């Protein structure tokens, strides 16, 4: 018990430090680094396997809460760009996975495909543990994807679309903008009350454990997400506070960090080339979607490139407004992208692994 508490304390402290420094994915990355250092230097890192299940249930519940009935009303409008985006990501995921399989012997098949899954720094490494992949390698390449998605892609998009992004910023500053805020309805406090949180976690836990017992790859997070999403759509009341999501990120970071030993640390030198390949493919996909989607959908090039950015939906909400894009469809597509990727891509990977 003392070893578990020590691991959690070190992981939480390191995660909080990077979080305060505004490091991309600071909580989970810091927890991984702190726990890995504790294990490598003192051989004192340990987290029980049930932590993995708890983290996946919490993450699934949080994801399930992110869609409302009002959001679904916009679904017909964004269905075409969403399907094109997901189709492109499936092709990219499989192409990169097969390339890794043939060109990089240090990555086994399952690890190579999961490294290329476009989303879920907090979730994919834990799913990788369920599927028998190399967790440290998946975690490192998922971090590279997330860090570049947050740190480099917005600058690239802003530079490429500088002329077209100049006008929306000025429009957002006109006196018309306060009107919608004044007309917005007051938030329903009861929809986020303690009993709603308890109900949400209870539903997510029951179905999450059923998903784990089913033996389906990523069944825990899949069942948790879908059950809470159904609860939200049926009752309008499902809520997971952000602090609980952050606790889950720390737990995930501590769990993943326990997989790092000296041998795993030395193996990371083989990931420089895969990381470069992965980033080149994501950048190419971003530009391709920026060219394709404006021709077949209502999105502008900047909006199309933003939805093709491999970062989190919450990151995109901040980034899009920072660079002058004010279209709620961008955020909604990112949310749906996250849900679809986390709940379906591991199953696609599992199917491919059974076929090859």
């Amino acid at each position: 018990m003392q070893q578990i508490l020590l691991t959690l304390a070190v992981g939480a402290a390191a995660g909080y430090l990077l979080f305060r420094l505004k490091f991309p994915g600071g909580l989970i990355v810091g927890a991984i680094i702190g726990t890995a250092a504790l294990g490598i230097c003192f051989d004192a890192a340990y987290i029980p396997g049930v932590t993995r299940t708890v983290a996946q249930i919490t993450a699934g519940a949080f994801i399930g809460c992110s869609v409302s009935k009002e959001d679904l009303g916009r679904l017909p409008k964004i269905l075409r760009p969403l399907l094109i985006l997901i189709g492109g990501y499936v092709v990219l995921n499989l192409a990169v996975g097969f390339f890794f399989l043939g060109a990089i012997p240090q990555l086994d098949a399952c690890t190579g495909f999961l490294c290329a899954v476009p989303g879920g720094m907090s979730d994919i490494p834990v799913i990788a543990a369920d599927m028998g992949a190399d967790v440290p390698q998946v975690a490192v390449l998922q971090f590279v994807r997330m860090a570049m998605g947050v740190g480099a892609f917005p600058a690239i998009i802003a530079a490429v679309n500088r002329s077209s992004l100049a006008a929306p910023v000025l429009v957002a500053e006109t006196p018309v903008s306060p009107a919608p805020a004044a007309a917005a309805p007051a938030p329903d406090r009861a929809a986020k009350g303690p009993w709603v949180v308890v109900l949400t976690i209870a539903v997510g836990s029951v179905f999450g454990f059923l998903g784990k017992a089913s033996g389906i790859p990523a069944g825990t997070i899949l069942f948790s997400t879908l059950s809470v999403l159904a609860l939200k759509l049926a009752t309008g009341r499902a809520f997971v506070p952000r602090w609980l999501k952050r606790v889950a990120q720390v737990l995930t970071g501590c769990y993943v960090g326990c997989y790092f030993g000296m041998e795993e640390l030395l193996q990371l030198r083989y990931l420089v080339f895969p990381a470069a390949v992965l980033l080149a493919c994501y950048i190419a996909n971003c530009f391709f979607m920026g060219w394709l989607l404006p021709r077949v959908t209502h999105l502008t090039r900047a909006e199309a490139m933003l939805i093709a950015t491999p970062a989190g939906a919450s990151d995109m909400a901040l980034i899009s407004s920072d660079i002058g894009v004010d279209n709620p469809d961008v955020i909604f597509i990112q949310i749906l992208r996250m849900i679809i990727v986390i709940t379906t891509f591991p199953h696609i990977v599992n199917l491919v692994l059974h076929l090859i």
Side-chain angles (χ1 to χ4, degrees):
M1 187 64 182
Q2 290 180 340
Q3 198 173 13
I4 296 174
L5 293 176
L6 176 63
T7 302
L8 291 174
V10 171
Y16 181 73
L17 175 62
L18 291 193
F19 175 75
R20 294 293 295 176
L21 293 174
K22 301 187 183 302
F23 193 82
L27 282 173
I28 186 171
V29 174
I32 291 174
I33 293 174
T35 305
L38 180 66
I40 293 171
C41 297
F42 304 102
D43 193 25
Y46 172 71
I47 287 290
V50 70
T51 305
R52 174 174 66 190
T53 304
V54 171
Q56 288 186 82
I57 287 172
T58 306
F62 189 83
I63 294 168
C65 292
S66 60
V67 177
S68 66
K69 289 183 179 179
E70 291 75 17
D71 291 328
L72 294 183
R74 298 206 307 274
L75 191 57
K77 183 180 179 183
I78 59 91
L79 189 58
R80 179 182 291 183
L82 176 65
L83 292 176
I84 294 173
L85 178 70
I86 295 300
Y89 270 135
V90 169
V91 173
L92 184 149
N93 193 172
L94 296 180
V96 173
F98 277 112
F99 176 80
F100 286 168
L101 182 61
I104 305 172
Q106 291 80 15
L107 295 179
D108 63 73
C110 185
T111 301
F113 282 107
L114 288 177
C115 285
V117 170
M121 172 65 197
S122 301
D123 310 302
I124 299 302
V126 182
I127 293 172
D130 284 340
M131 296 178 65
D134 188 304
V135 176
Q137 291 179 340
V138 173
V140 168
L141 288 181
Q142 284 290 331
F143 167 71
V144 170
R145 172 199 57 76
M146 180 195 65
M148 291 300 294
V150 174
F153 276 67
I156 294 172
I157 294 170
V160 171
N161 299 279
R162 184 173 290 113
S163 59
S164 62
L165 289 176
V169 174
L170 295 175
V171 171
E173 294 174 352
T174 61
V176 179
S177 58
D188 183 0
R189 295 181 182 273
K192 298 183 178 181
W195 73 269
V196 177
V197 177
V198 172
L199 175 63
T200 303
I201 295 300
V203 170
S205 298
V206 169
F207 283 91
F209 280 107
L210 286 175
K212 181 177 176 61
S214 71
I216 297 174
T220 305
I221 194 168
L222 173 63
F223 280 50
S224 176
T225 299
L226 295 181
S227 63
V228 173
L229 178 59
L231 175 68
K232 178 72 175 289
L233 296 179
T235 68
R237 298 196 173 187
F239 178 66
V240 174
R242 188 166 294 274
W243 66 263
L244 195 55
K245 167 68 171 176
R246 289 170 177 167
V247 170
Q249 289 179 314
V250 171
L251 290 177
T252 300
C254 291
Y255 181 83
V256 172
C258 288
Y259 276 87
F260 279 84
M262 185 56 68
E263 181 179 351
E264 287 74 19
L265 191 64
L266 295 175
Q267 288 286 326
L268 297 186
R269 68 184 185 273
Y270 298 115
L271 298 184
V272 175
F273 178 60
V277 171
L278 201 58
L279 291 178
C281 290
Y282 278 130
I283 290 173
N285 182 68
C286 183
F287 276 91
F288 176 69
M289 290 296 169
W291 171 82
L292 175 64
L293 289 177
R295 286 164 169 76
V296 296
T297 72
H298 65 285
L299 298 175
T300 66
R301 183 172 67 171
E303 292 166 350
M305 294 180 74
L306 277 171
I307 69 169
T309 297
S314 57
D315 299 317
M316 286 299 99
L318 298 174
I319 290 170
S320 60
S321 60
D322 285 346
I323 67 175
V325 173
D326 186 22
N327 185 348
D329 290 343
V330 172
I331 309 305
F332 187 40
I333 291 174
Q334 279 283 351
I335 291 172
L336 293 179
R337 190 263 307 174
M338 172 185 65
I339 294 173
I340 293 170
V341 165
I342 291 173
T343 56
T344 65
F345 274 51
H347 300 280
I348 296 174
V349 170
N350 188 60
L351 176 62
V352 171
L353 293 175
H354 279 84
L355 293 176
I356 60 176

